Amino acid sequence: MNDNQRHIWVFTEQRGGALHDVGLELLSKARALADEVGGTVSALLLGSDVSELTDRLAGGGADTVYLAEDPGLEPYRLLPYTSVLEAMVSEHRPEVLLMGATAMGVELAPRLAARLGTGLSAHCIDLRWNDEGHLLQVVPGWGGGVIATIACPNHRPQMATVMPGAMKASTFPDREGKIIRVDVSPPMEDSGPQVVEIKTETPSELPLEKADVIVAGGWGIGSPEKWGLIEELARLLGGAVGATRPPVDEGWTEEGRMIGQSGKTVRPSLYIGIGISGVMHHVVGMDQSGHIVSINSDPNAEIFETSDTIIVEDFNKILPPLIAELKARQGK
Amino acid sequence: MERIIVCVKPVPDPKHWDKVSMDPETQTLKREGIPSIINPLDKHALEAALTLREVHGGEVILLSMAPPFADATLREGLAMGADRAVLLSDRVFAGSDTLATARILAAGCRWIGSFDLVLCGNLTVDGSTAQVCSQLGEFLDLPSVMHVVELSDEGGSKLLATQKIENGLCTLRVPLPAVLSVRKELNKPRYIPFTGILAAESKEIALLSNADLKINEGLVGLHGSPTQMAGLELKKFQRAGERLEGSVDEIVQALVERFYKLGVLS
Ligand SMILES: Cc1cc2nc3c(=O)[nH]c(=O)nc-3n(C[C@H](O)[C@H](O)[C@H](O)COP(=O)(O)OP(=O)(O)OC[C@H]3O[C@@H](n4cnc5c(N)ncnc54)[C@H](O)[C@@H]3O)c2cc1C
Ligand SMILES: Nc1ncnc2c1ncn2[C@@H]1O[C@H](COP(=O)(O)O)[C@@H](O)[C@H]1O
């Protein structure tokens, strides 16, 4: 590798041998950023017995896969991961280091950034180069819809965590990546927190990020009984249920259904929002959807600004006949 | 446990965020007239500390980096039951990003002296970075654990902390001292009793400046912050919306047609 080249690194997280999609999403974005400036993309894969994942990383856009395997790296623990990544960064000095804003990335990236003494921006929704060749990191900020652009001009690497779903994964079938094994020595120290138990629930329904149709309800739905209409419409359209924060807080639906700044970022082909006002916190999570339909009784609802199809009406009037019509057409 | 530090940040009350506007000249947010509250998740951290104190005794100390007038907000935490508060306030701290903030809070922890546990909220409503906990752990050279939804004392200077991860939970045995940040599922912050408000009046809030903490000025505030704001905009997402009008039946039919056109129905 040529040292004047810009090296973009992506931490591609896995747990128990399962790669998180956000790693592939970031590789694809990194590929685009690198190609713009003639740079390189590397994936960082840590764990034990995970070498079979390297093909997917190369096919996802990585020129190089750095593979660090050690029994001490499975399951993930913050302190050993920080040490291994610190050593790798110090040796190879990448320009950019990206991670997913997942439970793991959100905890690991800041610790690593502090150890390296560099900057980190959180929960980015977009990344691009500026004229000086610095990475601009676009983050949704607080309240009434603030978008901040963050740069880290004088420290390296430029680090960012990126919202899962904010970028789109791609495959590069004819790319071949080089695998570089990373020597994890000295062996991991073990005085820190130890994993006692990991409990995973396999989600029974289609994960929100993978759904091609999302029917999302907001506070305007008003009650858990009425929430059933949202669920039924989603089922009839073969889609997933999404929500703003209030329905989650009220317990009408689970936390994993929340879309927006503190929830998921989604980009379905069709997004139907019902009883949603369109506050920035929510909109940042859905504005990349293909077609947006909004049903809101308030003609001035902000969500209409972000909509392709607008229905100014009480959802109680629209949903029951819509559901009946879909059922009739599907012969149910 | 002898001492638990709870990091609390005064934040503009999200209920009043519609009053936020942008100063087009300075490119900064104007937030006049928006009252401050303790960052909501920090109250969950404080509740956890108070619960541990009920079992083990010891002292619960609030730690905050904020302008001097934030003492009014800290009274709320004292009324909830914290024993005292330490407020880190200095002009040179202004403009600190999370790295500099964590460095300053770490210096505050060291100033307090010995402690068994530092508790934070998982994220703030205004900055929403969720970076301070891990960075504070790093600067204190202590283990850090985020996303805590269950916490129990194992004795022998160890806690069992359960983290929420994607599709599940991960339980860790954590040696103390450590820095933990909590999610709202952990507990329900107690109501503030009237007697608590009275008691808070006489509790101590130590106001410290960098003369006390003695951090190299190049490492705090704007100078000590690797990240810089490159732009700030009140974002408008725009789409050319087409309104479906007519009777309910006409609207339903038009919508269903659209579903076919989009390939959602076939
Ligand atoms: C730090 C922070 C992070 C946040 N993160 C998120 C996040 O990730 N995701 C998120 O969604 N929120 C988030 N929020 C909350 C967010 O600010 C809003 O409070 C929330 O999105 C509003 O949800 P809503 O649109 O459902 O409710 P409301 O704003 O109350 O809107 C309800 C809408 O329903 C309409 N309505 C009422 N009755 C009917 C009817 N019968 N028929 C049709 N329409 C009707 C009303 O006209 C209104 O527009 C966050 C808040 C903070 C402070
Ligand atoms: N200025 C501050 N003073 C005290 N605690 C803070 C401060 N900033 C952040 N924290 C703590 O760190 C947590 C996470 O903050 P953040 O990383 O900014 O989202 C908060 O919930 C607080 O517990």
Side-chain angles (χ1 to χ4, degrees):
Chain A
M1 271 189 244
N2 156 358
D3 248 19
N4 303 322
Q5 238 176 0
R6 290 204 240 166
H7 304 310
I8 304 181
W9 280 18
V10 175
F11 172 73
T12 45
E13 84 173 64
Q14 61 83 28
R15 283 193 200 254
L19 201 59
H20 196 294
D21 287 342
V22 73
L24 296 168
E25 293 161 14
L26 288 178
L27 280 178
S28 140
K29 183 68 183 184
R31 186 72 263 157
L33 287 169
D35 288 347
E36 258 180 70
V37 295
T40 68
V41 176
S42 301
L44 318 181
L45 183 62
L46 276 60
S48 178
D49 262 332
V50 288
S51 55
E52 71 274 13
L53 297 175
T54 54
D55 282 352
R56 285 177 66 199
L57 300 177
D63 300 299
T64 307
V65 179
Y66 287 100
L67 175 64
E69 289 187 304
D70 187 277
L73 295 176
E74 193 66 50
Y76 154 81
R77 284 173 305 143
L78 174 60
L79 296 179
Y81 268 50
T82 309
S83 305
V84 169
L85 290 174
E86 179 209 5
M88 292 167 74
V89 170
S90 304
E91 186 180 342
H92 300 282
R93 312 216 155 269
E95 268 279 303
V96 172
L97 173 53
L98 308 176
M99 295 194 187
T102 57
M104 188 190 293
V106 158
E107 177 179 84
L108 176 58
R111 184 116 197 175
L112 181 62
R115 189 163 301 178
L116 296 166
T118 193
L120 170 66
S121 61
H123 307 119
C124 296
I125 53 172
D126 197 13
L127 300 166
R128 58 174 191 268
W129 300 117
N130 73 359
D131 294 341
E132 289 111 83
H134 299 144
L135 187 72
L136 293 182
Q137 304 142 37
V138 181
V139 292
W142 54 288
V146 179
I147 291 279
T149 308
I150 313 274
C152 175
N154 305 318
H155 297 74
R156 293 295 178 269
Q158 304 166 80
M159 288 181 65
T161 61
V162 178
M163 290 299 278
M167 318 276 167
K168 216 174 184 125
S170 7
T171 44
F172 305 84
D174 23 278
R175 281 198 88 88
E176 265 181 52
K178 189 165 72 180
I179 314 292
I180 299 181
R181 286 195 171 268
V182 179
D183 197 11
V184 185
S185 55
M188 307 285 79
E189 37 61 48
D190 259 18
S191 59
Q194 299 297 323
V195 176
V196 180
E197 189 186 24
I198 296 180
K199 274 194 261 177
T200 45
E201 315 129 13
T202 9
S204 52
E205 285 164 85
L206 185 65
L208 211 43
E209 306 93 309
K210 297 221 171 94
D212 199 44
V213 176
I214 291 178
V215 179
W219 178 234
I221 301 304
S223 71
E225 293 72 38
K226 291 283 171 61
W227 190 260
L229 293 172
I230 301 290
E231 288 172 344
E232 187 157 18
L233 182 58
R235 203 162 39 238
L236 286 166
L237 293 173
V241 172
T244 57
R245 175 180 268 181
V248 171
D249 285 347
E250 294 296 317
W252 304 343
T253 188
E254 322 85 80
E255 169 129 26
R257 304 261 146 223
M258 184 162 79
I259 294 166
Q261 185 190 334
S262 27
K264 305 248 163 86
T265 305
V266 298
R267 41 160 87 238
S269 309
L270 172 63
Y271 179 98
I272 307 176
I274 307 167
I276 293 176
S277 61
V279 172
M280 168 71 175
H281 286 126
H282 179 72
V283 172
V284 290
M286 51 67 91
D287 79 293
Q288 297 177 72
S289 305
H291 190 95
I292 298 176
V293 176
S294 297
I295 306 177
N296 194 309
S297 49
D298 172 4
N300 299 317
E302 223 177 319
I303 192 71
F304 291 148
E305 314 260 302
T306 325
S307 305
D308 301 291
T309 300
I310 293 172
I311 299 174
V312 183
E313 197 54 87
D314 183 342
F315 77 89
N316 289 298
K317 291 208 192 123
I318 301 288
L319 289 195
L322 175 61
I323 286 169
E325 176 67 22
L326 291 174
K327 277 188 178 161
R329 289 190 184 234
Q330 293 174 10
K332 283 179 198 165
Chain B
M1 249 174 261
E2 296 205 344
R3 213 174 256 160
I4 302 175
I5 298 174
V6 182
C7 294
V8 295
K9 182 180 180 187
V11 295
D13 189 342
K15 279 197 210 106
H16 299 269
W17 283 6
D18 51 340
K19 296 197 197 98
V20 177
S21 63
M22 261 236 321
D23 186 326
E25 285 198 351
T26 59
Q27 288 282 299
T28 51
L29 294 177
K30 289 197 289 191
R31 39 186 279 192
E32 280 104 63
I34 303 182
S36 282
I37 56 167
I38 290 182
N39 179 49
L41 280 181
D42 303 355
K43 286 194 174 175
H44 293 262
L46 175 54
E47 177 62 38
L50 297 174
T51 309
L52 285 167
R53 187 185 63 185
E54 277 157 19
V55 181
H56 300 280
E59 193 185 20
V60 172
I61 305 175
L62 303 177
L63 177 64
S64 192
M65 181 197 80
F69 54 79
D71 59 349
T73 312
L74 293 180
R75 291 272 171 224
E76 196 189 337
L78 295 173
M80 233 177 103
D83 296 290
R84 61 190 169 100
V86 175
L87 176 56
L88 314 176
S89 217
D90 197 306
R91 223 162 265 195
V92 299
F93 297 162
S96 293
D97 70 0
T98 66
L99 193 76
T101 300
R103 190 178 275 130
I104 294 162
L105 291 174
C109 290
R110 288 198 201 92
W111 184 89
I112 288 170
S114 67
F115 52 86
D116 307 280
L117 184 62
V118 181
L119 288 168
C120 299
N122 221 38
L123 96 172
T124 46
V125 286
D126 57 345
S128 305
T129 69
Q131 291 180 178
V132 165
C133 166
S134 286
Q135 301 201 312
L136 185 53
E138 178 63 22
F139 285 127
L140 291 170
D141 201 14
L142 294 175
S144 57
V145 178
M146 288 188 67
H147 318 300
V148 174
V149 291
E150 279 171 43
L151 192 60
S152 64
D153 187 7
E154 277 226 305
S157 293
K158 288 199 170 65
L159 290 177
L160 270 190
T162 300
Q163 300 182 284
K164 181 154 190 325
I165 58 175
E166 281 80 19
N167 300 326
L169 298 169
C170 172
T171 303
L172 297 164
R173 180 168 291 119
V174 187
L176 298 181
V179 184
L180 267 52
S181 74
V182 310
R183 290 174 56 103
K184 70 171 193 298
E185 296 94 315
L186 178 66
N187 54 34
K188 198 163 176 281
R190 62 195 62 189
Y191 286 107
I192 296 173
F194 184 62
T195 49
I197 297 173
L198 290 181
E201 291 300 320
S202 56
K203 288 179 181 173
E204 177 203 346
I205 300 180
L207 184 63
L208 307 186
S209 70
N210 202 34
D212 305 289
L213 299 180
K214 300 189 175 59
I215 313 170
N216 177 339
E217 282 194 15
L219 294 176
V220 296
L222 275 178
H223 296 300
S225 298
T227 57
Q228 294 178 7
M229 191 73 85
L232 198 62
E233 49 180 309
L234 293 180
K235 178 89 186 190
K236 270 267 174 242
F237 295 100
Q238 290 283 0
R239 292 198 187 206
E242 184 196 341
R243 182 168 167 183
L244 301 186
E245 282 171 287
S247 68
V248 163
D249 196 46
E250 285 162 347
I251 291 175
V252 166
Q253 291 305 330
L255 198 51
V256 170
E257 283 319 310
R258 234 155 251 224
F259 294 162
Y260 279 103
K261 232 197 247 152
L262 290 165
V264 172
L265 294 177
S266 52

